[in-house]
Amino acid sequence: MKSVDIEVDEGKILGKTIGYPKCYCPEILVPIPRHLNRDIYGITNPDNLFCGYDTWHAYECSVLTDSGVPVTFILKIVYPSTSQYIVESKSLKLYLASFNMERLGTTKEFAIKEFISRVKRDLQNALKTEVQLGIFEYTYPQQPLTGYEGYRCIDNQLDTYNIQISNYTETPALLQESCTNGEERYCTHLLKSNCKVTKQPDWGSVYLYIKGDNIPTIESFIKYIISLRDENHFHEEICEMIYKRLSDMFHPDELAVTCLYTRRGGIDICPCRASNQELLNQTLQNHKYNDSPTFRR
């Protein structure tokens, strides 16, 4: 691992087009001396003026297990106002994104532990201070979204973290028939794709309603959603792609797919496609109704 250069100029990142790292990249972190801004305001002895801390919430953190299954969680970062440096936000975003395709452990728990170890070490090297980290896993359901109360999260329905994953580009052949009929309401929070233009990572949840003579197996549906992880498409295109693949393969009597993406730049996009109007989420499409965001969003 390269050491972090604490004297690096913030111009290394700001105002430049920087591609998202494809692998773990601690050297992209940019520390900025606190005194540069404090000097402007005559804050020459901050310890006598105030005490405090900086708190960050990173909602889009993810790593892979050794078997290739995504682990997603929220990261909380806290460090004191007495630190010599702050971390430049764009560099932190790029740094955390550099973990997206990193395989960090045989189990979910070990992968998270390794992630915490690396982030704590790298931030403390850059900021020259003690850094406290908190990890919050998504609990399902934490707050049921109106209209989706009956959907069951399938992320923990089977031993997901023992599934072997190797496809990260859209692979419809992963979808397998369960040879059972009926109707199912699934949701998974393992959706990740990339913006078609900027290639920035987009995170979200998929809500699937399907009814017919055949429905996909839970394991194959999860594998298919994970295969979108390195696709470059708009949110609406991802939703329509999922819908079309399911329609072509399973020929359901009824089908609805909703993709609830996390906010980026203060905006989230939540496309919904269904085989008939009655299957559309009425509150989601009602411009007069403001639904409370879920923890994932």
Side-chain angles (χ1 to χ4, degrees):
M1 183 192 77
K2 296 181 181 179
S3 62
V4 178
D5 181 4
I6 66 171
E7 300 299 331
V8 68
D9 185 82
E10 60 185 291
K12 173 183 178 182
I13 299 293
L14 293 176
K16 296 182 179 180
T17 301
I18 304 293
Y20 275 75
K22 294 295 185 181
C23 58
Y24 171 55
C25 187
E27 58 268 25
I28 205 167
L29 284 169
V30 177
I32 300 175
R34 287 190 187 272
H35 75 81
L36 295 179
N37 190 67
R38 289 174 174 174
D39 290 349
I40 297 174
Y41 299 100
I43 303 176
T44 56
N45 199 345
D47 292 348
N48 290 340
L49 185 62
F50 52 67
C51 61
Y53 49 84
D54 295 339
T55 301
W56 299 60
H57 296 92
Y59 290 93
E60 301 175 351
C61 291
S62 185
V63 299
L64 301 176
T65 63
D66 290 347
S67 60
V69 178
V71 183
T72 60
F73 46 88
I74 294 170
L75 171 68
K76 185 174 184 178
I77 304 169
V78 181
Y79 57 91
S81 59
T82 53
S83 64
Q84 295 181 52
Y85 300 89
I86 61 175
V87 62
E88 194 280 314
S89 60
K90 182 177 179 180
S91 76
L92 180 64
K93 181 179 181 180
L94 292 169
Y95 165 73
L96 293 176
S98 77
F99 284 94
N100 288 347
M101 304 303 289
E102 286 294 304
R103 300 180 184 235
L104 296 185
T106 55
T107 66
K108 176 181 70 172
E109 292 75 19
F110 190 89
I112 290 176
K113 182 178 179 180
E114 178 64 16
F115 171 85
I116 293 173
S117 175
R118 293 192 191 187
V119 173
K120 188 177 182 70
R121 178 189 63 209
D122 295 339
L123 285 178
Q124 289 186 163
N125 284 344
L127 301 176
K128 300 303 178 186
T129 191
E130 178 71 17
V131 175
Q132 300 297 326
L133 302 180
I135 293 291
F136 302 91
E137 294 187 66
Y138 300 110
T139 55
Y140 315 123
Q142 196 239 4
Q143 181 179 343
L145 188 67
T146 304
Y148 293 106
E149 294 88 351
Y151 285 68
R152 60 189 177 109
C153 177
I154 59 175
D155 296 352
N156 298 318
Q157 287 292 118
L158 69 166
D159 196 358
T160 305
Y161 295 97
N162 282 332
I163 298 174
Q164 295 296 317
I165 304 292
S166 58
N167 298 81
Y168 297 108
T169 55
E170 199 252 346
T171 309
L174 290 171
L175 290 166
Q176 299 295 314
E177 299 178 350
S178 64
C179 299
T180 58
N181 59 14
E183 63 179 352
E184 288 289 354
R185 292 175 172 85
Y186 296 152
C187 75
T188 175
H189 305 282
L190 297 179
L191 174 63
K192 176 196 171 287
S193 55
N194 303 315
C195 175
K196 194 172 190 176
V197 176
T198 67
K199 306 303 186 290
Q200 293 185 37
D202 293 319
W203 306 87
S205 304
V206 180
Y207 287 77
L208 166 67
Y209 170 76
I210 187 168
K211 178 181 180 181
D213 293 334
N214 208 352
I215 55 178
T217 65
I218 292 176
E219 180 174 333
S220 73
F221 183 66
I222 286 181
K223 284 185 175 181
Y224 174 70
I225 295 302
I226 293 174
S227 80
L228 305 177
R229 193 170 178 84
D230 211 23
E231 286 289 329
N232 302 315
H233 291 290
F234 295 130
H235 300 52
E236 301 89 339
E237 295 173 342
I238 290 290
C239 184
E240 293 177 358
M241 183 194 324
I242 296 171
Y243 185 96
K244 182 64 163 58
R245 297 304 193 192
L246 292 169
S247 179
D248 287 348
M249 175 166 286
F250 300 101
H251 307 288
D253 298 324
E254 294 183 333
L255 177 65
V257 175
T258 302
C259 296
L260 303 180
Y261 275 93
T262 59
R263 60 191 176 274
R264 181 151 55 81
I267 298 174
D268 65 25
I269 302 173
C270 302
C272 182
R273 303 293 184 266
S275 56
N276 60 71
Q277 286 285 337
E278 288 70 26
L279 295 177
L280 294 172
N281 184 307
Q282 300 304 307
T283 58
L284 193 63
Q285 66 176 344
N286 186 347
H287 69 283
K288 296 182 179 180
Y289 185 85
N290 183 27
D291 200 357
S292 298
T294 61
F295 193 48
R296 187 68 176 89
R297 293 163 65 206

